[in-house]
C-alpha cells in the first residue's frame, strides 16, 4: 500500500450533492424484488424535481415495481484513479396511468426520458424517493500504484 | 427517430459471452434484500472460475447476503452511441470463514480482489451463480441524432 493509497478517503454525501450527481446521469439501475431475487435492471431515467421518471415496457420490471419498495442506484467510477461516487435512492414506485390527474401525466412525459433500448416502452413509472444516500471515494495525494489488472 | 435509431438492436447474450464480459470488469453491483428494500451496493470483485469473490467489512452487505439469494450486476454504457451491455447474475452468497476447507479459503484469497474504498475489508464473500443473463444494445447503422441532453 502506497502513501497515496493510505490517504484515500470515503466521504458521505449530503442530500443536495446526491441529487446534483443524480441529475448528471441518464442511466441508473432499478432494484426490484421479483422471482425470489433482488433484481437489478439498468434503465434510462430523467428527473421531475426529486422524482425519478422511467419508461418501460410491460414485464417483470413494471409488475414487480408498481406500488412496491424499490431502489435506484447511480454511480460513476474511474478505473485510473480507483475513485468514484455512488448514490442510492430508496423509494416507492408507481405506474403513471390515465387514472392519474392530467397535470401529473403531462409533467411525467415532459421529463424527457428516452429509452436507449429499442422496442416498446409505452409505460411510465415514477419513483418517489423516501431516502437518498451517497458516498464518494476520494483518491489519495499520490497516484495509485500501477496495477496491470486495472488496465486490461 | 432517425433511420439509425430504428436499426438499433437488443441482443440476448449467451452464457459464455456473459462470463467473458464479467471478467473485463472490476466493479459490479451487489443486490441484497435488507431493510425492506432490494439494496444495491457497488463493490470490487474478482472471479474464481465462475464464482464471484467480494471483500467486504461487517455490516448490512455481509449480514444480509450471507446464505441468501443475491444478484450481481455489471454493465458498460457508452453515452456517445447510446449503446452498451449489461449482465445479471442470480446466485447464492456465503461468507468464507476459517470453517471452510483451507483450499477454498486460499483460492478465494488468491482471486486478487482489492477494495478501492478505504477501511477494513476483512471478510470474504463468494457468490455462486445459479443463473446468468445478459443483453446488449447495438447501435444502428447511422449515428444517433445529436441530442443536447446526452452531453451535459
Amino acid at each position: 500500500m502506497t502513501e497515496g493509497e493510505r490517504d484515500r478517503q470515503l466521504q458521505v454525501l449530503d442530500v443536495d450533492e446526491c441529487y446534483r450527481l443524480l441529475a448528471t446521469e441518464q442511466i441508473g439501475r432499478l432494484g426490484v424484488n421479483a422471482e425470489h431475487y433482488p433484481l437489478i435492471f439498468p434503465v434510462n431515467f430523467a428527473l421531475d424535481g426529486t422524482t425519478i421518471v422511467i419508461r418501460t415496457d410491460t414485464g417483470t420490471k413494471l409488475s414487480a415495481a408498481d406500488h412496491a419498495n424499490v431502489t435506484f442506484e447511480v454511480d460513476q467510477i474511474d478505473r485510473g484513479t480507483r475513485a468514484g461516487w455512488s448514490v442510492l435512492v430508496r423509494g416507492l414506485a408507481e405506474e403513471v396511468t390515465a387514472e392519474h390527474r392530467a397535470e401529473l401525466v403531462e409533467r411525467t412525459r415532459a421529463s424527457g426520458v428516452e429509452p436507449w433500448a429499442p422496442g416498446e416502452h409505452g409505460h411510465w413509472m415514477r419513483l418517489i424517493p423516501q431516502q437518498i444516500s451517497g458516498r464518494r471515494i476520494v483518491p489519495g495525494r499520490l497516484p495509485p500504484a500501477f496495477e496491470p489488472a486495472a488496465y486490461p
Side-chain angles (χ1 to χ4, degrees), chain A:
Chain A
M1 187 185 278
T2 65
E3 192 184 343
E5 290 285 297
R6 269 198 304 273
D7 289 343
R8 299 170 74 76
Q9 283 178 17
L10 190 65
Q11 292 177 344
V12 174
L13 306 177
D14 65 28
V15 171
D16 287 350
E17 180 67 357
C18 288
Y19 277 115
R20 193 191 66 76
L21 290 169
L22 208 55
T24 64
E25 297 292 322
Q26 294 186 287
I27 295 259
R29 296 157 200 96
L30 180 69
V32 296
N33 266 318
E35 301 165 8
H36 309 294
Y37 287 92
L39 300 181
I40 302 173
F41 299 103
V43 291
N44 289 88
F45 75 103
L47 290 172
D48 172 19
T50 61
T51 298
I52 294 155
V53 177
I54 295 163
R55 265 169 76 179
T56 181
D57 49 9
T58 48
T60 305
K61 264 202 289 284
L62 185 67
S63 54
D66 195 27
H67 292 106
N69 277 3
V70 301
T71 54
F72 192 72
E73 192 266 354
V74 172
D75 59 46
Q76 198 51 255
I77 286 144
D78 181 356
R79 280 185 176 207
T81 59
R82 309 176 103 199
W85 56 263
S86 68
V87 167
L88 182 68
V89 176
R90 304 175 191 212
L92 193 72
E94 69 168 346
E95 189 185 351
V96 176
T97 66
E99 287 169 24
H100 284 81
R101 59 183 201 280
E103 180 265 344
L104 185 79
V105 175
E106 198 172 309
R107 262 175 42 208
T108 301
R109 298 188 175 217
S111 68
V113 59
E114 207 179 314
W116 295 356
E120 290 301 321
H121 291 84
H123 298 265
W124 296 76
M125 203 189 296
R126 290 172 72 89
L127 196 168
I128 297 111
Q130 291 162 328
Q131 194 188 324
I132 187 166
S133 59
R135 56 179 215 162
R136 184 197 298 276
I137 299 175
V138 183
R141 279 175 301 158
L142 296 177
F146 175 78
E147 180 171 286
Y151 305 92

